[in-house]
Amino acid sequence: MARPRGPRRVAVIAATPVSMFNLAIPELLFERVEIDGGPGYEVVICAPEPGPVPTTGGLDLQVRHGLEAVRAADMAVVVGTGQRYVPDPRTVAAVREAAAAGKRIASICSGAFVLAEAGLLDGRRATTYWNQADELRERYPAVDVTGDVLYVQDGRIMTSSGYAAGIDLCLHIIRTDYGAAAANQVARLALVAPVRPGGQTQFTQTPLPPERGTACADTRGWAMRNLDKPLTLTDLARHAGVSVRTLTRRFHAESGVSPLQWLLHQRIERAKELLETTGLPMDQVAHASGLGTADSLRAHLVRRTGLTPSAYRAQFSRLGAPAA
């Protein structure tokens, strides 16, 4: 996939009434992406009717652009209200036209209802805010609604659950476009969690639940600082000062995965960053990320991303030219 000559244009469509939190997410994250000294994205907020747009908090936001911004964009993101609403027919028509033109379409929270009304989710897996999943399923029976995930990508159509799950979706998009290093840098700048793991192949991810506790936070931080070492369950439990059984139970309760699953994900993410930002030979990347050998690195990366380490580096390298 060739890098674009200029920033990718994103039209963020405000529903009515719009959630200010949902609306702020794409602008906050996409605008922080810098590639080769220039912006990675150009974000325009638009609405069916330019002018004051009511919010769920009782305020009005002044939106200067109409839906013509969608025609000029490379991707459209529909942000929802966090509550029940009827999709505006003008927005429905705009996203249907954009999808027909081959553009990527995403939704945050109840914005999925717009995509469903446009017929874009028929026969696809999709998600929305958890307390609206049943209604989405009932109103649009042709949609395969998955209510217990953060976000779902099905081809060029992406949907996310409510509120903070929109952060995960935007980071996923950034990683898809510019690689793990760019996405993780944005996460650090925005003081949010890095791209959260999924169990499927590259860029079609169904992530795990958000962390729900801090009992193992110190041990997770220690493990991140020691990824190049052959850490075991016993090592992690010893650092946490608990038994292996207790560690496994607490870790799963907080992170949604076992300690070793979490550790493998972090190793693969570290390897991806090294491939993007250094010219280290493959065996050194494997060692530094704790994956052992170049063969092990290759097997894990192909399973997770569908790309060999060399292909991943060629596609996402932040260096002047792909390293040998």
Side-chain angles (χ1 to χ4, degrees):
M1 179 177 62
R3 291 260 174 90
R5 295 181 183 274
R8 297 172 188 265
R9 294 166 297 179
V10 181
V12 180
I13 307 174
T16 302
V18 69
S19 161
M20 290 188 290
F21 182 82
N22 287 338
L23 187 64
I25 289 170
E27 191 276 336
L28 171 67
L29 298 180
F30 291 139
E31 291 284 2
R32 287 178 177 263
V33 177
E34 184 176 300
I35 303 298
D36 300 328
Y41 297 93
E42 178 184 289
V43 179
V44 175
I45 296 174
C46 60
E49 192 82 31
V53 173
T55 71
T56 54
L59 303 175
D60 284 346
L61 290 178
Q62 191 72 22
V63 177
R64 293 179 297 172
H65 301 280
L67 294 176
E68 67 278 355
V70 178
R71 297 189 185 93
D74 302 305
M75 177 174 65
V77 180
V78 184
V79 298
T81 68
Q83 60 192 35
R84 192 179 191 281
Y85 77 109
V86 177
D88 189 297
R90 293 168 292 181
T91 301
V92 171
V95 298
R96 185 186 291 128
E97 177 184 332
K103 300 178 181 182
R104 289 184 296 176
I105 310 294
S107 68
I108 295 175
C109 195
S110 56
F113 283 80
V114 172
L115 275 57
E117 184 69 21
L120 304 185
L121 302 183
D122 289 356
R124 297 180 183 270
R125 294 180 63 249
T127 193
T128 189
Y129 191 30
W130 65 269
N131 69 353
Q132 296 175 330
D134 287 342
E135 182 178 356
L136 183 66
R137 190 177 291 112
E138 292 169 5
R139 285 172 59 177
Y140 305 98
V143 181
D144 181 8
V145 179
T146 305
D148 58 352
V149 297
L150 294 178
Y151 62 85
V152 173
Q153 177 170 352
D154 191 327
R156 301 181 70 82
I157 307 298
M158 296 165 279
T159 54
S160 71
S161 183
Y163 298 104
I167 296 173
D168 294 283
L169 176 60
C170 289
L171 289 175
H172 165 71
I173 292 169
I174 295 168
R175 184 174 66 178
T176 300
D177 292 341
Y178 296 112
N184 290 339
Q185 173 67 8
V186 169
R188 286 190 289 269
L189 289 172
L191 300 178
V192 298
V195 182
R196 287 189 261 185
Q200 300 178 14
T201 56
Q202 183 185 15
F203 316 141
T204 309
Q205 307 230 0
T206 303
L208 298 165
E211 294 175 2
R212 295 183 291 272
T214 59
C216 297
D218 287 345
T219 297
R220 287 195 294 268
W222 172 79
M224 289 291 291
R225 295 189 296 273
N226 291 276
L227 287 178
D228 60 326
K229 298 179 175 62
L231 301 177
T232 66
L233 269 177
T234 301
D235 295 328
L236 295 171
R238 184 182 298 116
H239 182 274
V242 297
S243 68
V244 168
R245 183 174 181 179
T246 298
L247 174 80
T248 301
R249 175 174 53 79
R250 289 180 180 176
F251 215 99
H252 197 282
E254 292 182 14
S255 302
V257 291
S258 72
L260 293 183
Q261 286 175 318
W262 178 88
L263 190 61
L264 177 60
H265 173 77
Q266 302 304 330
R267 293 190 191 284
I268 295 171
E269 288 298 302
R270 175 67 56 80
K272 288 161 67 177
E273 285 206 41
L274 291 172
L275 289 169
E276 295 170 25
T277 59
T278 76
L280 289 173
M282 298 307 173
D283 57 345
Q284 292 185 30
V285 171
H287 175 76
S289 57
L291 292 173
T293 66
D295 287 342
S296 176
L297 167 65
R298 179 186 176 91
H300 284 296
L301 201 67
V302 168
R303 186 177 302 116
R304 178 64 61 85
T305 71
L307 297 174
T308 65
S310 296
Y312 187 90
R313 172 172 277 169
Q315 182 164 321
F316 291 115
S317 176
R318 300 287 297 277
L319 303 178

